[in-house]
Amino acid sequence: MLDPKRLRSEPERIAEQLRRRGYHLDLDRLRDLEARRREVQVRAERLQAERNARSKAIGRAKAAGEDIEPLKAEVAALGEALEAAEAELAAVQAELEALYAELPNLLHESVPDGEDERHNVEIHRWGEPRVFDFPVRDHVELGAALGGLDFEAAAQISGARFVVMRGELARLHRALIQFMLDLHTAEHGYQEVYVPYLVNADSLFGTGQLPKFAEDLFAVAGDSGLYLIPTAEVPVTNLVRDRILDPDALPLRFVAHTPCFRAEAGSYGKDTRGMIRQHQFEKVELVQIVAPEASWAAHEALTRHAEVVLERLGLPYRRVLLCAGDTGFASAKTYDLEVWLPGQNAYREISSCSHFTDFQARRMRARWRNPQSGRPEPLHTLNGSGLAVGRTLVAVLENYQRADGRIDVPEALRPYLGGQAVIG
RNA sequence: GGAGGGGUGGUAGAGCGGUCGAAUACACCGGUCUUGAAAACCGGCAGGGGCCCGCGCCCCUCGUGGGUUCGAAUCCCACCCCCUCCGCCA
């Protein structure tokens, strides 16, 4: 949610900034709604004030023992006009709120122009893609040969875009999770949290998935009103919904491992092979809740925290700054980390680290008491994958494969596999 | 699932048809005192919104939504959530 006051005071500037993302803000409609809102609100509030004043007068008259019947008749006459004005106000406000709810966040000035991923800007690379002296296999072949990745079994149980993992690969997958959680809690100052995987619509509105992106979500059958989480961002960030935090409670740094569920509507035919794009996958998520003045530094720090995972695992990657058109709805600025996948001969996204400024905080009413002003003001929220576990497994398999089809275990993971150095 | 109790400001907790947006305490902010701090004392202090250049005025909010009433934190109905006990259960 953008600041409604700014939307009112400088709509042209905001429209211009939204245009960078290819979003067209209908200024005429906004101005028209705003004008109506103002007129109706002033009228409704005047009638309410009138009603309140007269009701109080009745109270006084009654206490003084006067006849209150004529006064009552007067107020009754107000009733109809008041009711109509209130209904009109509610309608205009609902329309305005619906408009506001669909506006994406403003982009940070450092975000480059551009329509789509072709215009993203590489910031830096780490590591050298390995040169193989044997034919490289992708994770699907490697997994099949090892007997650890079974897409057919998953299809029978559930359908496309699921996987069954077995034996050493299932264990490797779990080891990755443990490794990431330990790293972020022990070295990066995050508190581990365990959160619900089913959330209500208010939470999804708070982080920006609803109302606009309902088709990406799995809703639970029945009348619970619950949805499967598409990312831990939703339950974890909503920990501060409707709260006013003390400055000395900040920053909050949370790390959570959860499964993520995505309908992947609109991605038909994309990444259909292997476990790059699944309906269900595991992710270790980093979330920070910070004071606004600390937030840009926090974004850089959080992105580093995710990069460290790749570096400890010895996986070559690059950091990419998303351009205007590729930056997500709620984000002001996003870095993607792309890991090198020999099986695809390409860098593929494995982490997305976003700064939401006050956009989510406004939707969630997540505030802190700013000691400067003494008033509650919106916080800043950030998050990033640290990392997507399924894709990390893919990266380990493909980057550490041997000519015999077995997999070397990265040094950092060995303690989590009882010292084992090779899989297969 | 059954029975009972309860949801009020940053927190705890009074209020149970009109001058209550709300006692009191704690927390917090400012001041006095002090070399400084603590203590003590004095004062301030809910959130959201609107109008106005401003002083300021007004509206809404006591879990949510309806209803009764001239008037609702207070009465009625529904729903949600929390607690206690019983049953069932990983």
Side-chain angles (χ1 to χ4, degrees), chain A residues 75-107:
Chain A
V75 184
L78 270 175
E80 232 172 273
L82 179 59
E83 229 169 275
E86 280 176 343
E88 206 181 330
L89 179 60
V92 178
Q93 269 170 345
E95 219 175 316
L96 262 177
E97 272 162 33
L99 175 65
Y100 285 179
E102 304 248 315
L103 297 181
N105 199 3
L106 301 177
L107 296 167

Side-chain angles (χ1 to χ4, degrees), chain A residues 101-135:
Chain A
E102 304 248 315
L103 297 181
N105 199 3
L106 301 177
L107 296 167
H108 190 248
E109 59 199 10
S110 62
V111 173
D113 286 329
E115 289 162 38
D116 53 43
E117 64 274 5
R118 289 170 303 146
H119 304 106
N120 295 342
V121 174
E122 181 176 307
I123 303 294
H124 60 239
R125 291 186 185 209
W126 182 93
E128 277 297 315
R130 184 178 150 200
V131 179
F132 293 86
D133 54 8
F134 57 88

Side-chain angles (χ1 to χ4, degrees), chain A residues 12 55 87 108 111 129-130 162 185 219 230 235 237 247 273 280 282 295 306 308 314 348 358-359 366 394 417:
Chain A
E12 294 86 359
S55 288
H108 190 248
V111 173
R130 184 178 150 200
F162 290 92
T185 54
T237 311
R273 180 176 167 84
Q280 173 186 321
E282 305 298 298
S295 65
V308 168
R348 290 301 308 261
D358 58 0
F359 187 86
V394 168
L417 292 170

Side-chain angles (χ1 to χ4, degrees), chain A residues 142 146 396-397 400-402 405-409 421-424:
Chain A
L142 292 164
L146 292 165
V396 169
L397 294 181
Y400 283 90
Q401 64 182 296
R402 310 179 352 159
R406 301 204 292 163
I407 311 294
D408 286 321
V409 175
V422 185
I423 279 176

Side-chain angles (χ1 to χ4, degrees), chain A residues 182-231:
Chain A
D182 285 351
L183 174 62
H184 295 309
T185 54
E187 298 186 36
H188 296 155
Y190 288 77
Q191 180 186 43
E192 183 172 350
V193 288
Y194 171 84
V195 291
Y197 303 157
L198 294 170
V199 295
N200 58 36
D202 282 347
S203 295
L204 288 158
F205 179 85
T207 33
Q209 284 78 16
L210 287 181
K212 213 172 175 177
F213 305 101
E215 70 278 6
D216 296 335
L217 301 168
F218 285 111
V220 173
D223 54 8
S224 67
L226 296 172
Y227 298 79
L228 287 163
I229 56 171
T231 158

Side-chain angles (χ1 to χ4, degrees), chain A residues 39-76:
Chain A
E39 186 273 314
V40 177
Q41 183 165 351
V42 168
R43 181 151 47 87
E45 289 188 1
R46 250 184 222 142
L47 287 165
Q48 284 169 332
E50 183 77 20
R51 192 258 332 260
N52 292 345
R54 297 201 185 194
S55 288
K56 278 189 183 160
I58 291 176
R60 279 193 299 271
K62 198 176 174 189
E66 295 166 20
D67 179 18
I68 59 171
E69 285 311 316
L71 291 168
K72 281 166 86 164
E74 261 183 67
V75 184

Side-chain angles (χ1 to χ4, degrees), chain A residues 105 295-296 299 330-334 353-357 380-382:
Chain A
N105 199 3
S295 65
W296 293 101
H299 185 223
S331 175
K333 180 177 183 177
T334 299
C353 301
S354 295
H355 188 327
F356 303 98
T357 58
H380 279 193
T381 61
L382 308 89

